[in-house]
Amino acid sequence: MLSRKNAFIASQKQKLTNQQISRRSFMQSMVAAGVVVPTALSWANQAMAATPKSGGKFIMGMAHGSTTDSISPLTYENGFQTVMGFLWGNCLTEVAANGDLVGDIAESFESEDAQTWRFKIRAGVEFHNGKSVTPEDVVASINLHRGEDSTSAAKGVVAPIQDMAIDGDTVVFTLATPNADFPYLMSDYHLIIMPSENGDVDVTSGIGTGAYKVDGFEPGVRLNTSRNANYYKPAYFDEVEVLALLDPTARQNALLSGDVHAIDRIDPKTVNLLGRAPNVDILEKTGTLHYTFPMRVDAAPFDNYDLRMALKLSIPRQELVDKILLGHGALGNDHPISTANPYHASDLPQREVDIDKARHHYEKSGHSGAIQLSASDAAFAGAVDAAQLIAASAAKAGIDIEVVREPSDGYWSNVWNKKPWCACYWGGRPTEDWMFASAYVADTEWNDTAWRTTDSAVRFNEVVLEARAELDQDKRRMQYAEAQTLIHDDGGAIVPMFANYIMGLSKDVAHSDDVAANWTMDGSKAGERWWFA
């Protein structure tokens, strides 16, 4: 009986928050349920304080952004661009604040065999130019990322699509092999649906279906947007501005001074101090974010297995977690799958620093001389310090690492995925297949280790395809465990740590109890989901 009463009270609180009932009705229902008036008043105040309110200009300070950034979603490679894309555009699906996959541009999606997928396009959705979204727009937008000539970062994500057809208000995807995770892939932030004309799409128009229209964009500086009055979902701010504030101190000062309302990637060294500020709340989420040091195996000396293994064995993982993350994260095991993922290989032994074995593999490699490691705090807060710790540890094994401090501006276009060894971060993905398709399979542009041709890499690509098509969960778990083991052993990825998302918010900013952890800033959708208290 008590649980039924509690459920009723919780339901009434939620209805008041959602403005489905009046304060008066709420009070009457509480008194009828036997709640004393002072308690009912307190609950009413709390519920109404949580009610989203419209209006105001919301300003975010992001630890990302470069003068080489483009508004074209084909090129998105950092957190600033992800937030930008989700302000002006939408995908077929989205990861909701509670972590569930839901329809976005697609009203629904279904499949009987995981190989043929039907996505029913939501009626009444308009682009910023007034054009209604059609299945033809969806096909044209997805086709931008397909084909041999595509330079899209999502080329590997859509590679499984064999054919697309239109059946009334539905887009039918036929895949080369079954893929139970395919609807997740359609929420990738590159796959924004844009208006088309005779199959052509202007990828630099910034015209989408999103909650906000682009008013101005200065690459590496700021994005200005204003509310889309015809948006098909709730959104609360009148305007949203996004600032590129790469320096951690500048970001935190902007929050403390009230120049911005929210920032991401707070330096773990200062999070406790910042949290004591009277006008700041700290929001921390554990997800799939991980910090990496990718070695490109198509470039010397990283084409040598023993040299790669020597470096992996010389990494002081626990020291990095303790000194760089200050406990706001966990150990990595040289593969990108988090314990938050459903098929994490928990039985794979944790790699630990072993100087004697590192020295053995280094001597076996035959290498001599300095090895350059490029780093910048544009990769993650403390990346340069982390590189120095790695160099100091490797020196004990006789490995000479020269840390090259790279400029923050242009890091993602001039250093990452170009120089043989550098610092990097990955936001991770909700599913194993999506993570592998984004950064590890042979045909993705973002394979930042260039791990494609070794015997283990070939087997990895085979097992990813096998797991993608496997519907038996136990068999799939074994296949993904093999994939993680292959990367751990032979791949070029050094993944020493998984980091929490640490964000700072003005106390003027409110959000629901559920905050997505698939990317920073509520799945990069804070501009749509948050409001002023």
Side-chain angles (χ1 to χ4, degrees):
M1 187 71 179
L2 181 61
S3 61
R4 183 179 297 176
K5 176 181 177 180
N6 290 341
F8 172 74
I9 291 172
S11 173
Q12 293 299 97
K13 286 181 180 179
Q14 190 61 54
K15 287 181 179 179
L16 182 58
T17 295
N18 295 341
Q19 299 178 306
Q20 294 173 305
I21 60 175
S22 68
R23 181 187 179 95
R24 180 185 179 88
S25 296
F26 175 81
M27 291 297 297
Q28 289 174 337
S29 68
M30 291 300 99
V31 171
V35 178
V36 296
V37 171
T39 299
L41 282 171
S42 175
W43 287 347
N45 291 336
Q46 292 173 8
M48 295 186 73
T51 301
K53 299 175 179 62
S54 297
K57 180 179 180 178
F58 179 54
I59 306 175
M60 282 186 279
M62 300 294 296
H64 323 266
S66 171
T67 54
T68 58
D69 286 350
S70 166
I71 205 166
S72 166
L74 280 70
T75 68
Y76 288 176
E77 61 185 12
N78 63 60
F80 185 105
Q81 291 175 298
T82 307
V83 167
M84 172 170 65
F86 281 149
L87 283 170
W88 66 262
N90 300 85
C91 301
L92 283 175
T93 60
E94 72 169 322
V95 177
N98 65 0
D100 292 342
L101 186 74
V102 298
D104 200 352
I105 293 293
E107 178 180 292
S108 62
F109 46 90
E110 60 183 5
S111 176
E112 295 182 356
D113 59 3
Q115 187 166 4
T116 300
W117 285 91
R118 297 177 62 86
F119 285 73
K120 182 179 180 181
I121 306 309
R122 192 180 301 274
V125 179
E126 291 185 359
F127 292 110
H128 299 155
N129 62 5
K131 179 184 182 297
S132 294
V133 176
T134 66
E136 287 79 8
D137 296 318
V138 172
V139 171
S141 296
I142 299 300
N143 271 335
L144 292 169
H145 309 272
R146 301 176 67 212
E148 293 183 4
D149 296 332
S150 174
T151 58
S152 168
K155 182 178 179 179
V157 174
V158 300
I161 299 173
Q162 193 171 60
D163 183 58
M164 288 186 288
I166 296 173
D167 181 12
D169 60 359
T170 298
V171 178
V172 182
F173 293 86
T174 302
L175 310 183
T177 58
N179 187 348
D181 293 337
F182 182 71
Y184 273 99
L185 301 184
M186 291 298 97
S187 70
D188 187 291
Y189 52 84
H190 301 94
L191 306 182
I192 291 173
I193 306 305
M194 295 174 281
S196 65
E197 186 174 350
N198 299 321
D200 294 326
V201 177
D202 181 358
V203 297
T204 62
S205 68
I207 295 176
T209 57
Y212 297 90
K213 299 179 180 181
V214 176
D215 294 327
F217 174 48
E218 298 176 63
V221 182
R222 72 181 70 237
L223 170 77
N224 291 100
T225 67
S226 56
R227 186 203 297 267
N228 171 17
N230 295 324
Y231 193 47
Y232 58 98
K233 293 188 289 184
Y236 307 103
F237 302 116
D238 290 332
E239 300 176 68
V240 175
E241 182 176 13
V242 188
L243 301 178
L245 300 174
L246 276 61
D247 181 74
T249 302
R251 254 190 336 275
Q252 294 179 183
N253 286 340
L255 180 63
L256 288 169
S257 65
D259 291 335
V260 302
H261 300 104
I263 61 173
D264 75 330
R265 290 177 64 172
I266 293 175
D267 190 332
K269 295 177 183 176
T270 58
V271 63
N272 290 332
L273 180 62
L274 186 64
R276 296 192 197 109
N279 61 327
V280 171
D281 285 327
I282 300 298
L283 178 61
E284 186 164 357
K285 299 293 292 184
T286 300
T288 55
L289 172 66
H290 52 285
Y291 297 159
T292 72
F293 293 88
M295 303 174 286
R296 295 190 65 83
V297 302
D298 62 349
F302 306 106
D303 54 351
N304 185 304
Y305 169 84
D306 284 292
L307 185 129
R308 296 198 300 275
M309 185 56 66
L311 290 172
K312 292 177 182 179
L313 289 166
S314 69
I315 301 297
R317 299 165 198 276
Q318 190 62 58
E319 186 178 16
L320 291 173
V321 171
D322 293 341
K323 294 183 178 179
I324 303 301
L325 300 182
L326 298 179
H328 295 275
L331 293 174
N333 203 17
D334 293 338
H335 65 74
I337 304 305
S338 160
T339 55
N341 288 102
Y343 299 110
H344 173 262
S346 57
D347 293 335
L348 184 63
Q350 174 64 52
R351 178 168 285 141
E352 298 179 357
V353 62
D354 190 323
I355 297 303
D356 290 338
K357 286 185 179 179
R359 183 181 293 108
H360 165 76
H361 281 283
Y362 184 64
E363 291 174 352
K364 189 177 177 182
S365 76
H367 181 270
S368 62
I371 302 172
Q372 289 192 337
L373 170 55
S374 294
S376 165
D377 282 1
F380 57 86
V384 175
D385 290 341
Q388 297 288 1
L389 290 173
I390 290 172
S393 181
K396 300 174 186 176
I399 306 172
D400 180 13
I401 294 177
E402 177 190 348
V403 176
V404 180
R405 186 187 292 265
E406 302 282 1
S408 293
D409 186 43
Y411 184 82
W412 298 108
S413 55
N414 300 324
V415 178
W416 173 74
N417 216 12
K418 290 183 174 61
K419 294 202 173 182
W421 193 20
C422 71
C424 177
Y425 84 95
W426 279 92
R429 300 295 186 268
T431 70
E432 286 75 6
D433 184 68
W434 190 359
M435 184 67 240
F436 294 148
S438 296
Y440 289 87
V441 298
D443 57 358
T444 179
E445 293 290 323
W446 278 8
N447 187 334
D448 58 8
T449 61
W451 185 58
R452 295 183 171 95
T453 59
T454 68
D455 290 344
S456 291
V458 172
R459 174 55 191 155
F460 167 81
N461 280 272
E462 292 172 349
V463 78
V464 167
L465 290 176
E466 293 168 6
R468 183 178 290 165
E470 181 58 64
L471 301 182
D472 183 287
Q473 300 301 307
D474 291 334
K475 291 180 180 178
R476 207 174 193 211
R477 184 177 300 281
M478 293 176 62
Q479 290 163 333
Y480 280 134
E482 180 183 356
Q484 291 166 67
T485 301
L486 289 165
I487 296 174
H488 170 88
D489 178 55
D490 184 62
I494 292 175
V495 186
M497 50 188 165
F498 282 78
N500 295 346
Y501 290 114
I502 311 176
M503 296 155 277
L505 282 63
S506 163
K507 289 187 181 293
D508 294 335
V509 174
H511 53 77
S512 67
D513 291 339
D514 290 321
V515 174
N518 54 319
W519 288 299
T520 188
M521 291 297 194
D522 206 345
S524 295
K525 294 202 170 188
E528 173 183 322
R529 294 173 178 170
W530 295 358
W531 63 90
F532 286 128

